[in-house]
Amino acid sequence: MATLAEKALEQGKGILRLTPTWVPRSFCVPGRRIKLHPDDYYVLGGERGGIDERWFSSTTPAENGPLTGKNEGLSHVVLEDGGEEVQILLKDVIDELKGEIIGDRLWNEYKSWPMYSKFFDNMGPLPHHIHHNDEHAAKVGQKGKPEAYYFPPQVNNHGGDFPYTFFGITPGTTKEQIKECLKNFTKGDNKITNYSSAFRLEPGTGWDVPPGMLHAPGSMCTYEPQKASDVFAMYQSLVNEAIIPEELLWKGTPEDRKGDYDQLMEVIDWELNTDPNMLETRFMAPVPVEPLEEMEAKGYIDKWICYRSDAFSAKELTILPGQTVTIKDSACYGMIMMQGHGKMGVWDIETPSLIRYGQLTHDEYFVTESAAKEGIIITNESATDPIVMLKHFGPENPDLQLD
């Protein structure tokens, strides 16, 4: 008898339908651009904070402290079993079917799906913070976390309170100056962004953020592909007049080194942070996969939007109105609909305007490697509205060959 994972794979013909995965953050104020119903942003209760993230294709648990809900941050697969809709964890499907889902290349190397993506939707800026590299994250039983940003026009009808992101440390700053900021964390505003530069955020573009780089994300709604980890530490003590708890300064620090400011300094990749050419080395404008005229003649436009990291990559795929196309990729991927409606394989795809907490949708899917290689038939059923979807891939995408 077929297992639920096998049934899901068969029913979707290699494409798994996923549920919306909502994640609250106690230190954030929702920007209200991720299509959740206005009554539901605080549905988990005030002490959990507002929901300002939706996670995609996630097998990574959210690290939200002792109040974290069961399976928080984990994507579920929807299937029919015995005439009823049931849900199982994407993680369990991948653990059972292995290379049938993510391909033998990824399974043999990682024994898991090693990335996920999300919408991050905050009304204000986040504190200057850092994600640990593999070496430092391993000290607290986690993996390092490179990430990337893309600002989809469809969910950025407004820029929020501060659509600028601080990246890195201004060249000429000394390590002693940064260390003094960290020591002043509990004395009010530690003024660490005095030593950083902010860049204005532009919809339809993105940034690459390797581990070890300080960054204070701005208030645009952000699509964030990243490595499968939720490790971080907050290095700024006051942002938007909100006090950051000191426990978040030491988050990601091993117990035997908490209180040791040298440990916090070791997490900083100094050369990366003081790069004088940040715009040249970290900014990402979309790059067409093929010449635009050739793709438009075929009925679609495919662009790389995240392409500077070996840990993941992402594309924005547009299917022109009224077109039916076959799209091939060499690797599995998760996807989220941004605009339009139609068919993708056996599934309906649509872009909801409003989603209740707990409601199922037809806007998020996971495409197995074999199905991606065979080719996915996508039909845009509108005569006027393009289909736009964002696709997130795992490490070392074989198709990513940029000059």
Side-chain angles (χ1 to χ4, degrees):
M1 181 177 292
T3 65
L4 289 177
E6 291 168 336
K7 287 181 180 179
L9 185 60
E10 170 58 28
Q11 288 173 19
K13 304 301 180 188
I15 304 175
L16 303 173
R17 179 188 172 198
L18 302 182
T19 66
T21 301
W22 308 105
V23 176
R25 295 294 196 187
S26 60
F27 49 82
C28 294
V29 176
R32 299 175 179 265
R33 291 164 294 195
I34 52 177
K35 304 177 183 178
L36 188 60
H37 190 283
D39 291 346
D40 292 349
Y41 281 101
Y42 291 90
V43 71
L44 297 176
E47 60 185 358
R48 293 302 320 280
I51 293 172
D52 69 339
E53 297 186 6
R54 179 178 171 184
W55 290 20
F56 307 122
S57 309
S58 171
T59 59
T60 303
E63 296 286 342
N64 271 338
L67 297 179
T68 304
K70 181 182 179 183
N71 295 331
E72 193 161 286
L74 297 177
S75 294
H76 289 73
V77 176
V78 184
L79 70 147
E80 186 178 293
D81 183 49
E84 295 183 358
E85 273 189 335
V86 298
Q87 300 179 23
I88 52 177
L89 289 173
L90 175 63
K91 181 182 186 303
D92 291 345
V93 174
I94 293 173
D95 286 347
E96 179 185 332
L97 299 182
K98 305 178 174 59
E100 287 186 72
I101 306 297
I102 64 173
D104 291 336
R105 177 181 67 89
L106 290 180
W107 178 259
N108 290 340
E109 182 166 354
Y110 298 97
K111 297 294 189 287
S112 65
W113 172 236
M115 68 85 65
Y116 68 106
S117 192
K118 69 166 71 167
F119 281 155
F120 167 72
D121 174 43
N122 203 41
M123 183 61 77
L126 273 190
H128 220 28
H129 68 278
I130 201 163
H131 300 293
H132 305 62
N133 63 20
D134 283 335
E135 176 189 352
H136 288 290
K139 297 175 183 177
V140 291
Q142 292 208 55
K143 298 174 183 175
K145 184 178 174 179
E147 63 185 20
Y149 304 153
Y150 178 70
F151 312 110
Q154 294 88 351
V155 288
N156 277 297
N157 56 309
H158 67 86
D161 293 342
F162 191 76
Y164 303 81
T165 290
F166 287 93
F167 288 107
I169 298 168
T170 303
T173 304
T174 67
K175 293 183 178 181
E176 289 70 26
Q177 287 172 310
I178 298 300
K179 189 174 181 180
E180 185 66 22
C181 290
L182 300 179
K183 289 181 176 180
N184 290 335
F185 194 90
T186 59
K187 300 176 183 178
D189 184 0
N190 69 346
K191 301 181 181 179
I192 192 169
T193 53
N194 286 6
Y195 303 103
S196 186
S197 299
F199 295 83
R200 181 177 176 178
L201 306 180
E202 184 70 24
T205 69
W207 289 82
D208 178 56
V209 186
M213 186 163 87
L214 281 161
H215 54 292
S219 55
M220 276 201 173
C221 187
T222 309
Y223 169 74
E224 291 189 22
Q226 55 205 270
K227 194 170 176 177
S229 171
D230 199 21
V231 67
F232 68 89
M234 296 296 186
Y235 279 24
Q236 184 179 358
S237 60
L238 180 76
V239 64
N240 246 19
E241 302 307 316
I243 296 291
I244 308 304
E246 187 186 10
E247 66 190 61
L248 295 181
L249 173 66
W250 300 105
K251 188 172 171 63
T253 299
E255 287 296 329
D256 63 345
R257 295 204 64 182
K258 286 186 176 177
D260 182 351
Y261 293 96
D262 288 332
Q263 165 66 21
L264 299 180
M265 292 298 298
E266 289 170 17
V267 173
I268 300 173
D269 184 325
W270 196 258
E271 182 178 356
L272 176 69
N273 278 271
T274 55
D275 177 7
N277 300 312
M278 201 74 75
L279 193 63
E280 177 185 354
T281 57
R282 304 271 72 91
F283 177 73
M284 293 184 293
V287 177
V289 173
E290 302 173 42
L292 281 173
E293 302 77 15
E294 294 180 15
M295 290 190 288
E296 288 173 351
K298 299 175 188 176
Y300 67 91
I301 300 171
D302 204 12
K303 296 179 180 179
W304 293 107
I305 55 173
C306 299
Y307 46 78
R308 292 191 184 276
S309 175
D310 290 335
F312 51 77
S313 56
K315 288 180 176 180
E316 178 190 72
L317 174 65
T318 300
I319 311 299
L320 301 177
Q323 298 294 313
T324 295
V325 301
T326 300
I327 302 295
K328 294 185 178 183
D329 289 281
S330 298
C332 64
Y333 57 90
M335 56 75 62
I336 177 67
M337 287 285 291
M338 302 303 302
Q339 186 174 343
H341 73 280
K343 296 281 290 187
M344 185 174 75
V346 300
W347 294 107
D348 294 323
I349 49 173
E350 58 193 17
T351 310
S353 300
L354 199 63
I355 308 170
R356 295 304 306 243
Y357 185 85
Q359 176 186 337
L360 299 182
T361 59
H362 282 93
D363 67 341
E364 185 185 353
Y365 293 88
F366 191 94
V367 178
T368 63
E369 183 182 276
S370 58
K373 286 181 173 180
E374 184 177 332
I376 303 299
I377 299 174
I378 306 173
T379 298
N380 187 340
E381 296 176 347
S382 172
T384 56
D385 196 23
I387 284 175
V388 181
M389 64 177 72
L390 303 180
K391 300 162 59 172
H392 27 278
F393 300 84
E396 299 177 353
N397 189 332
D399 293 331
L400 182 55
Q401 304 290 337
L402 298 180
D403 295 330

